[in-house]
Amino acid sequence: MRRLIIPICLTFILLFGSCENKSSENSENNIVNIVVIYTNDEHGWIEPTDNYDGASGLMSMWKSVEAYDGSDKYLIISGGDMWTGPAVSTWFQGESMVEVMNAMEYDVSAIGNHEFDFKIEGLNNRLEQMNFPLISANIINKSTGEIPDFAKPYIIKEIEGVNVGIIGLASIHTPYTTAPVNVVDFEFTSYSEAIEEYSLKAKNEGADVLILVGHICEYEMEELTTIAKANGISIICGGHCHQVVAKDSNGVILIQAGANMKAYAKVEFNYNKLTKEAVNFTYEIVTNNQHDFDSEILDIVNYWNDRTDEELAEIIGYADETIYQSSTEMQNMVCDSWFYSFPNADVSITNSGGIRQNINQGDISLESIVGLLPFENFILELELTGEELIEVIDDFLIGGMTTIGGFNLHDGTPIYNDSTYTVLTTDYLYSLSDNNFALYDDEPINTSVNYRQPLIDWIKFLNTSSTNPLNDYLDNQPRR
Ligand SMILES: [Zn+2]
C-alpha cells in the first residue's frame, strides 16, 4: 500500500476564539475528533481495475485503515462527477453508482458538470434515489432567481455537539462541460459571492466549522483561499481536473483525490468546544490498492456488472493490441468511423474529451464501446465553406482532412476557401459558445445518431477476429 502522509499541526482560528493553545481547563469531553473522507470525479468506476480496487476496495480501506464504522465522526463527501463513465454506470444513467454511494453512506456531494449529462430529469431520478443531498451555492434558476430544487447551498452536520457546515460550489464552466442545452435554465454564478453569502448563513445557523466542497480545479481552489479563510472556511475540497492535491495553502487545507475512485483524501482534526477552535489538522491522500474488498459493496458492484454483461455482452470485434485512449489510432478511428454512417460527409470534427478509455487487447464488447464513448452526444451535419471549416477545426480531432502541408482533404485535394463542405460534429461541440459552428450554420441537420453508434456499426461490419484484428484497419498517421 502506497501511503502519502503529510501530517501538520495547524491551529485554526475559526469563527471565534483566540490563538492560545488549549487551556488546561479543557477536558477530553470538549475535544471532538472529526474525520473527513473525500473522493471526487468517481465517474462510475465502481469496479476494480488492474491497478485500483474500485468502490469495494475503498470501503474496505475506510474500514481497515481509517477504522470507519459508520459513526457520526466520519464525514463522507464527494466532489461531484459521480456517474458518467464506464458502461456499468453510464448505461444505467448512474443508478449503479448511486446505489453504491448510498451503501458507502456518503453524507453529501457537490454537483459536477457531468451530473447534468442525462438532463435534469436524469439528475432528479438520481436525486430521488440518493440517501444524501446535492449541494451548490452558485447555481441559480434563471426564471426564479433561486437555487434550484435539486440543490441545497449548504448543509450542517452535527457531530457530537459540533456543527460542521458544508458549502457546495458547482463549476462556473458547467455550461460548456456538459451539453449546454441541459443547463440552459441555470446560471452558474461567482464563487466568491456564493462563499460570502452562504458562509454567513451557515454560521448564523450555528456552524462551528466550515468546509467548502467545490467541483473546481486546483488553480480555482488556490484563488479562493483568501476569501475562504476570511469567511471561516478551513478546508476546500476540489475536483473536476482530476488532480491529486493535499496541502496547506494560505492557512486553508486543500484536497483533491484524483479521479475514478483510485484514491481518497482524508482530513482529520479536533474541535475544541471550549475554545471554539478546530486544531491539529492532518491530511493525506491514500491510494486505493490494498486489494482487499468489502463484501457488501462488492455484491452490489457484481449485481450491476451482471446486468451490464447481460445487456451489453455482445462481442462485436477483436483487437490484437490495446488501442490506447489518447493514441493517434484511437483518435483517427473515432473520427473516421462516422464516415461509415455518413459516407457523403467530407470532414468530421470531435474532441478528445469525448474519448474516455482504451480498447483493450482481446474481444471487443458493446460494453467497451459504451465506456469508450459514454456521452449522450449526437452527430450534427453542417454545411461550411472551406474558410469557415479551417477556422472551426481549432485544435479538435479531425477526420477526412489533414492540416499537414496545408489544408487538404483525405484524398489530397486542397480545401478551397469558397467551396462548401459537409462537416460532421457533435451537438456538444456545436453548442459551445467559444466556437463559431452556430455562426456559420445555424440550421444544422441533427442526425439523432449517437456519436458512438457509427463506431459500433463499423466494427461489426469489419467482422474482425484474431486473424483479422481491428488494429489492421487503423490509421496511425497524425493529421495535425
Ligand atoms: Zn467535472
Side-chain angles (χ1 to χ4, degrees), residues 41 43 79-81 111-114 171 177 215-216 239-242:
D41 297 271
H43 281 291
D81 275 6
I111 301 176
N113 48 303
H114 289 300
S171 168
T177 46
H215 195 69
I216 56 175
H240 188 54
C241 282
H242 300 192

Side-chain angles (χ1 to χ4, degrees), residues 272-284:
N272 183 324
K273 290 195 225 174
L274 283 183
T275 62
K276 299 189 185 300
E277 288 174 325
V279 296
N280 300 337
F281 281 79
T282 63
Y283 50 88
E284 60 183 312

Side-chain angles (χ1 to χ4, degrees), residues 97-339:
M97 187 70 209
V98 170
E99 188 175 334
V100 165
M101 291 176 80
N102 281 343
M104 295 170 84
E105 296 187 28
Y106 274 77
D107 289 294
V108 65
S109 176
I111 301 176
N113 48 303
H114 289 300
E115 260 64 82
F116 297 98
D117 285 351
F118 303 106
K119 305 197 168 76
I120 294 300
E121 193 191 349
L123 176 67
N124 280 326
N125 287 341
R126 293 291 73 79
L127 192 60
E128 223 167 86
Q129 186 197 354
M130 282 175 185
N131 294 340
F132 55 94
L134 292 169
I135 48 171
S136 169
N138 70 324
I139 304 178
I140 304 293
N141 188 320
K142 286 178 185 167
S143 61
T144 64
E146 306 283 335
I147 289 177
D149 292 342
F150 56 75
K152 295 179 193 301
Y154 63 89
I155 60 162
I156 294 179
K157 275 277 287 194
E158 197 232 296
I159 300 176
E160 293 172 44
V162 179
N163 289 323
V164 181
I166 307 170
I167 302 168
L169 285 180
S171 168
I172 55 171
H173 310 290
T174 302
Y176 44 94
T177 46
T178 182
V181 67
N182 294 353
V183 289
V184 72
D185 294 335
F186 307 105
E187 206 174 319
F188 293 77
T189 60
S190 135
Y191 300 139
S192 49
E193 283 170 26
I195 289 171
E196 285 191 327
E197 181 177 354
Y198 289 101
S199 299
L200 188 63
K201 284 188 174 160
K203 283 184 276 192
N204 286 341
E205 209 188 310
D208 300 306
V209 183
L210 289 179
I211 299 172
L212 181 69
V213 184
H215 195 69
I216 56 175
C217 301
E218 186 176 4
Y219 77 94
E220 296 172 304
M221 298 162 75
E222 289 277 7
E223 284 170 5
L224 293 176
T225 53
T226 305
I227 192 157
K229 193 173 180 190
N231 285 277
I233 291 167
S234 47
I235 303 167
I236 301 179
C237 310
H240 188 54
C241 282
H242 300 192
Q243 294 153 313
V244 175
V245 180
K247 63 182 175 186
D248 171 12
S249 179
N250 200 16
V252 180
I253 307 294
L254 307 186
I255 53 167
Q256 194 182 149
N260 299 359
M261 296 194 132
K262 291 179 182 176
Y264 64 93
K266 174 194 171 191
V267 181
E268 185 166 10
F269 61 95
N270 291 329
Y271 187 81
N272 183 324
K273 290 195 225 174
L274 283 183
T275 62
K276 299 189 185 300
E277 288 174 325
V279 296
N280 300 337
F281 281 79
T282 63
Y283 50 88
E284 60 183 312
I285 302 289
V286 187
T287 304
N288 177 17
N289 60 357
Q290 193 176 248
H291 307 319
D292 198 13
F293 303 95
D294 180 81
S295 59
E296 184 200 344
I297 304 299
L298 196 57
D299 283 349
I300 300 171
V301 172
N302 287 340
Y303 164 80
W304 285 101
N305 246 332
D306 291 346
R307 279 200 52 186
T308 311
D309 288 348
E310 278 165 31
E311 298 194 27
L312 299 174
E314 186 186 351
I315 301 298
I316 61 168
Y318 186 88
D320 65 352
E321 281 175 51
T322 295
I323 305 163
Y324 290 97
Q325 178 181 352
S326 304
S327 66
T328 305
E329 290 96 323
M330 175 69 87
Q331 296 176 343
N332 289 348
M333 176 181 73
V334 171
C335 289
D336 293 351
S337 67
W338 293 2
F339 298 118

